[in-house]
Amino acid sequence: MRLPLTKLLAKWGRFLLPTLCFLLFAPAASAAVGTHTSYSHQLPDFFCGATTGLPVTLLVSLNADQTYMTDLKNCYQNSSHIIIRLMDLSSTTQGPVLQAAAARLIAAFTSVASKTYIILGNELNNLAVEYTCSASLRDCGSIYASQFSIFNTAIGTTFQVAAAPLDTSNSIYDAAVFLDGARSAYLNSDFYAANSYALPSCAYPQLRCSQNSWQWYEQTLGVTKPVILTEFGPNHSDPSLTLSQQINFIATQAPSVPIAITPLIKNTCSSLPWDWLIYIRGQVYDPDCNYVDPTTCTISTPPANSASCSIFSMYPSL
């Protein structure tokens, strides 16, 4: 069984000693809070430039072609962390599909490999929505572990790779049961990917339905790894939730331990057609690059202190 440490040493061995010295003596830093583009990364005229220097989570199909992946790299190459969450995975996805996707990712993103993080799937224990699988939940986890092994082997040491974040509060599809079957995938991940939301309660211990649910992976597996929160926020099912409350929650509740956090903003404005809005440096935008006033829900051109949309149209083909 290949250990993540092998991959780490292969990539960063000659930098390991100075890095350890820095970690030992440098003061603790806050997590980098960036942007989750949701499905709006297909409208990138704004986001290509607006995410410069920020972590960004992109949703990319396993079946995306080489040109599309290369354009994404060109678009987001100035982000601080390029977090690619791969979609369209099911229990019937075969090895050649995973290997071909890995080859396209390597070809497209190798030039920014040191800051590219690949995540295979999302909340896969939710079999009704995220991972079509007719077996038992534990057996579905085992199927996923086999798929992850194929994909991780194909990626090699090029990128940091993680197993899918789980829906830890799902009362129908228990994440712990799926994780039991998929255990090897998470143990062989280079980092933990998590989606953490502050829910009032759930059918499990409170940690699993809190903004600290990312800690559940380490607690369950007994292994410490770096953490990336691809989603983070308050309870999105709360009908009284406002944009201002979401912004304040991110500003005051974001943990310092993860290496990157990309919040997902629920559109709570009835006047706007979008399901999700985009959080960038404490401000909220719609996918058409309109600034959304969090108090009034009115839209306007971006404020003077934000990035201008007009210069971000160099990749209209995406």
Side-chain angles (χ1 to χ4, degrees), residues 36-55:
H36 189 300
T37 63
S38 185
Y39 295 96
S40 304
H41 66 281
Q42 297 177 32
L43 301 169
D45 295 18
F46 173 35
F47 304 115
C48 284
T51 58
T52 294
L54 296 177

Side-chain angles (χ1 to χ4, degrees), residues 7-8 10 32 36 39 47 64 70 78 87 100 125 146 161 189 199 203-204 243 265 276-278:
K7 184 183 291 187
L8 179 64
H36 189 300
Y39 295 96
F47 304 115
T70 300
N78 292 322
M87 304 186 300
N125 60 301
S146 297
V161 179
S189 294
L199 306 180
Y204 310 108
L243 294 183
I265 296 290
W276 303 99
L277 299 173
I278 315 300

Side-chain angles (χ1 to χ4, degrees), residues 31-84:
V33 178
T35 299
H36 189 300
T37 63
S38 185
Y39 295 96
S40 304
H41 66 281
Q42 297 177 32
L43 301 169
D45 295 18
F46 173 35
F47 304 115
C48 284
T51 58
T52 294
L54 296 177
V56 60
T57 289
L58 308 173
L59 307 187
V60 180
S61 172
L62 276 169
N63 303 309
D65 63 29
Q66 187 67 67
T67 299
Y68 180 81
M69 288 188 180
T70 300
D71 283 348
L72 276 180
K73 185 270 296 183
N74 292 336
C75 177
Y76 292 101
Q77 61 186 332
N78 292 322
S79 299
S80 63
H81 306 69
I82 303 170
I83 304 158
I84 299 172

Side-chain angles (χ1 to χ4, degrees), residues 164-246:
L166 298 177
D167 182 355
T168 58
S169 64
N170 193 306
S171 60
I172 299 174
Y173 301 103
D174 186 351
V177 176
F178 186 91
L179 180 62
D180 186 54
R183 186 179 182 88
S184 64
Y186 292 83
L187 290 176
N188 284 289
S189 294
D190 297 305
F191 61 96
Y192 292 132
N195 299 335
S196 293
Y197 291 101
L199 306 180
S201 63
C202 63
Y204 310 108
Q206 183 62 27
L207 177 65
R208 288 180 57 176
C209 49
S210 75
Q211 68 262 38
N212 296 315
S213 62
W214 53 272
Q215 298 174 1
W216 175 75
Y217 299 88
E218 177 181 332
Q219 183 182 89
T220 303
L221 295 169
V223 178
T224 301
K225 297 178 185 289
V227 176
I228 288 179
L229 300 186
T230 62
E231 297 179 22
F232 176 78
N235 179 17
H236 283 166
S237 63
D238 180 355
S240 67
L241 186 68
T242 67
L243 294 183
S244 294
Q245 288 172 333
Q246 293 182 71

Side-chain angles (χ1 to χ4, degrees), residues 108-296:
F109 288 91
T110 293
S111 64
V112 289
S114 64
K115 59 180 179 180
T116 299
Y117 302 81
I118 311 292
I119 301 166
L120 184 63
N122 179 57
E123 298 186 349
L124 300 184
N125 60 301
N126 187 345
L127 303 187
V129 178
E130 299 287 357
Y131 190 62
T132 303
C133 182
S134 58
S136 70
L137 187 56
R138 181 176 283 100
D139 287 345
C140 289
S142 297
I143 293 169
Y144 172 69
S146 297
Q147 293 172 320
F148 181 85
S149 178
I150 293 170
F151 179 78
N152 201 23
T153 298
I155 283 290
T157 60
T158 306
F159 308 112
Q160 301 292 295
V161 179
L166 298 177
D167 182 355
T168 58
S169 64
N170 193 306
S171 60
I172 299 174
Y173 301 103
D174 186 351
V177 176
F178 186 91
L179 180 62
D180 186 54
R183 186 179 182 88
S184 64
Y186 292 83
L187 290 176
N188 284 289
S189 294
D190 297 305
F191 61 96
Y192 292 132
N195 299 335
S196 293
Y197 291 101
L199 306 180
S201 63
C202 63
Y204 310 108
Q206 183 62 27
L207 177 65
R208 288 180 57 176
C209 49
S210 75
Q211 68 262 38
N212 296 315
S213 62
W214 53 272
Q215 298 174 1
W216 175 75
Y217 299 88
E218 177 181 332
Q219 183 182 89
T220 303
L221 295 169
V223 178
T224 301
K225 297 178 185 289
V227 176
I228 288 179
L229 300 186
T230 62
E231 297 179 22
F232 176 78
N235 179 17
H236 283 166
S237 63
D238 180 355
S240 67
L241 186 68
T242 67
L243 294 183
S244 294
Q245 288 172 333
Q246 293 182 71
I247 293 170
N248 181 67
F249 184 91
I250 294 165
T252 61
Q253 301 298 316
S256 61
V257 173
I259 60 177
I261 302 172
T262 56
L264 197 55
I265 296 290
K266 178 69 174 177
N267 175 24
T268 56
C269 299
S270 60
S271 59
L272 301 180
W274 314 101
D275 289 330
W276 303 99
L277 299 173
I278 315 300
Y279 177 91
I280 302 177
R281 295 186 172 91
Q283 297 175 333
V284 178
Y285 301 85
D286 72 15
D288 287 337
C289 189
N290 295 304
Y291 168 72
V292 180
D293 187 299
T295 303
T296 65

